[in-house]
Amino acid sequence: MASELHGEYKVHGGKLVVVDCSVTDGLLHDVHVSGDFFLEPDEALDDINAALNGLSANLPAEGMADAITAALPQDAVLFGFSAQAVAITVRRALTKASSWIDHKWDIIAPIVLPTALNVALDEVLVEEVGAGRRNPTLRFWDWDEPSVVIGSFQSVRNELEPAGVEKYGIKVVRRVTGGGAMFMEAGNCITYSLYVPQTLVDGLNFEDSYKFLDTWVLAALESMGIEAFYIPLNDIATDKGKIGGAAQKRLSNGAMVHHVTMSYDIDADKMVEVLRIGKEKLSDKGTRSAKKRVDPLRRQSGMSRQEILDRMSDTFAARYDAHMATLTEAELAEAQRRVESKFGTEEWLHRVP
């Protein structure tokens, strides 16, 4: 007898989708979709259920979503959910996709480390999560050396002003994730990394996965009076301007790192002496002053950096029942080895000249 399966998925900014089903001979059977969404015409719900019944239980979420879309009448209106959301819910019912509550979460509080070691830890910890040796983890960074962390695919010569780097003693490091350069003086921004199993974002496209993984931080910002939102693909902003950016890297071991830096109190004049990003990107937006691009959390929240870090940590812990943890000696030692063999080398830094 086929066992009954149950899955739930709350659409980011939308409604709850619920799927009850069973699997017989590897095929979906007796599928029932429900939720607090809106759907017109009513009969379209029968079309969704019929489209799913008989599909292979091993079909990826994209294939399930395509089958649902093909079965819907042309005049169907889905409000608060989508074919993709239903597919994700089915995958959760089948335990091929996971939700936040399916995992035990750890939080690592910020400790001051060399920037290259922070970057190396991203690679080490995502491998540990993928190998099952560490719980999915939120880690906050800290550092005390003026630094620039460039994206995995950025060109050193195109991103940096050598005179500014030398003038201010900037440590330049390349990270494993893509995206843009991060200008990081002590205390001027807030940086965190999430190390998670890819099952958490199963069925989500890249754009939606960014918003999904940062739902908790948008809630934390809202509790500080900051109404933040995502601008595709990876910018976090308010109506007063951009406050941060995210980047991701997915490993073949089934884990991924999701990395975010938000500006707290950046010296914008110094930033444009160090980075070449200013001129082209600012002219692209019709902006003459870098200060108009940087909209620090300090000004919008009126809170200290530590207070913001505490609020973010508390919000994550409350939402996902996360517990405080620490880096192990083995993880720190391995990260140091990778600084020496990779992240601290000229070969890695200049792999894109």
Side-chain angles (χ1 to χ4, degrees):
M1 180 178 177
S3 59
E4 293 186 2
L5 304 173
H6 179 85
E8 298 184 4
Y9 173 60
K10 173 66 168 61
V11 179
H12 179 77
K15 298 297 184 177
L16 179 70
V17 181
V18 180
V19 169
D20 294 287
C21 65
S22 60
V23 176
T24 304
D25 297 327
L27 303 179
L28 295 178
H29 178 69
D30 199 24
V31 180
H32 296 282
V33 177
S34 60
D36 59 357
F37 50 77
F38 299 91
L39 175 64
E40 294 289 347
D42 288 353
E43 296 77 16
L45 186 60
D46 296 329
D47 296 327
I48 293 173
N49 291 332
L52 291 168
N53 274 295
L55 290 183
S56 169
N58 293 319
L59 192 65
E62 294 83 354
M64 293 182 184
D66 289 344
I68 294 168
T69 300
L72 287 169
Q74 289 188 348
D75 62 345
V77 177
L78 287 68
F79 185 78
F81 78 122
S82 64
Q84 180 191 37
V86 175
I88 293 170
T89 313
V90 173
R91 296 275 293 181
R92 287 191 173 182
L94 298 169
T95 68
K96 297 180 184 297
S98 60
S99 67
W100 294 94
I101 61 174
D102 293 325
H103 303 284
K104 293 182 179 179
W105 293 92
D106 289 342
I107 301 174
I108 298 176
I111 56 174
V112 174
L113 297 170
T115 306
L117 196 62
N118 272 310
V119 170
L121 279 167
D122 268 3
E123 186 173 78
V124 171
L125 295 181
V126 72
E127 290 178 6
E128 291 296 288
V129 170
R133 292 187 291 265
R134 169 175 280 282
N135 291 335
T137 299
L138 166 67
R139 179 176 73 93
F140 291 97
W141 293 32
D142 213 344
W143 60 95
D144 60 8
E145 56 187 346
S147 307
V148 168
V149 180
I150 62 174
S152 181
F153 309 107
Q154 288 188 296
S155 161
V156 174
R157 64 174 174 233
N158 288 340
E159 297 300 322
L160 298 167
E161 293 283 5
V165 170
E166 182 178 1
K167 176 181 177 181
Y168 295 111
I170 303 296
K171 175 69 174 179
V172 182
V173 182
R174 183 185 296 277
R175 63 181 186 269
V176 295
T177 56
M182 299 150 44
F183 175 67
M184 302 167 60
E185 292 185 291
N188 79 347
C189 53
I190 290 172
T191 298
Y192 63 84
S193 296
L194 274 169
Y195 314 103
V196 305
Q198 292 176 36
T199 55
L200 192 63
V201 296
D202 182 90
L204 293 173
N205 60 35
F206 275 93
E207 179 181 333
D208 288 342
S209 74
Y210 278 91
K211 293 183 290 187
F212 176 75
L213 290 175
D214 281 330
T215 301
W216 66 276
V217 83
L218 297 183
L221 291 170
E222 184 177 10
S223 75
M224 305 175 218
I226 300 174
E227 296 292 333
F229 49 86
Y230 252 90
I231 299 177
L233 172 65
N234 63 330
D235 284 350
I236 301 173
T238 70
D239 58 3
K240 298 177 182 177
K242 177 179 173 178
I243 60 174
Q248 293 180 359
K249 181 176 177 62
R250 304 185 183 205
L251 274 64
S252 59
N253 69 359
M256 63 183 290
V257 55
H258 174 87
H259 172 99
V260 171
T261 292
M262 298 183 183
S263 56
Y264 176 71
D265 191 13
I266 287 178
D267 184 335
D269 290 336
K270 186 183 293 185
M271 182 181 70
V272 295
E273 285 189 67
V274 172
L275 299 180
R276 289 184 174 174
I277 56 157
K279 304 171 181 62
E280 183 65 23
K281 286 192 176 180
L282 294 177
S283 66
D284 218 25
K285 299 175 181 292
T287 305
R288 299 185 64 85
S289 170
K291 289 184 177 177
K292 292 182 180 177
R293 266 185 59 81
V294 179
D295 204 353
L297 291 174
R298 178 186 59 79
R299 189 184 316 141
Q300 294 191 45
S301 69
M303 298 168 65
S304 72
R305 180 172 177 268
Q306 187 59 54
E307 287 172 331
I308 293 174
L309 286 166
D310 290 343
R311 182 68 61 85
M312 288 182 176
S313 181
D314 291 347
T315 300
F316 189 90
R319 288 175 73 100
Y320 308 130
D321 192 27
H323 300 278
M324 300 307 297
T326 58
L327 294 164
T328 68
E329 291 185 8
E331 289 165 344
L332 283 167
E334 179 59 28
Q336 183 58 48
R337 282 192 288 272
R338 298 196 191 192
V339 170
E340 295 165 2
S341 64
K342 178 178 179 179
F343 294 102
T345 67
E346 290 296 307
E347 290 78 11
W348 170 254
L349 177 60
H350 293 279
R351 75 184 188 96
V352 181

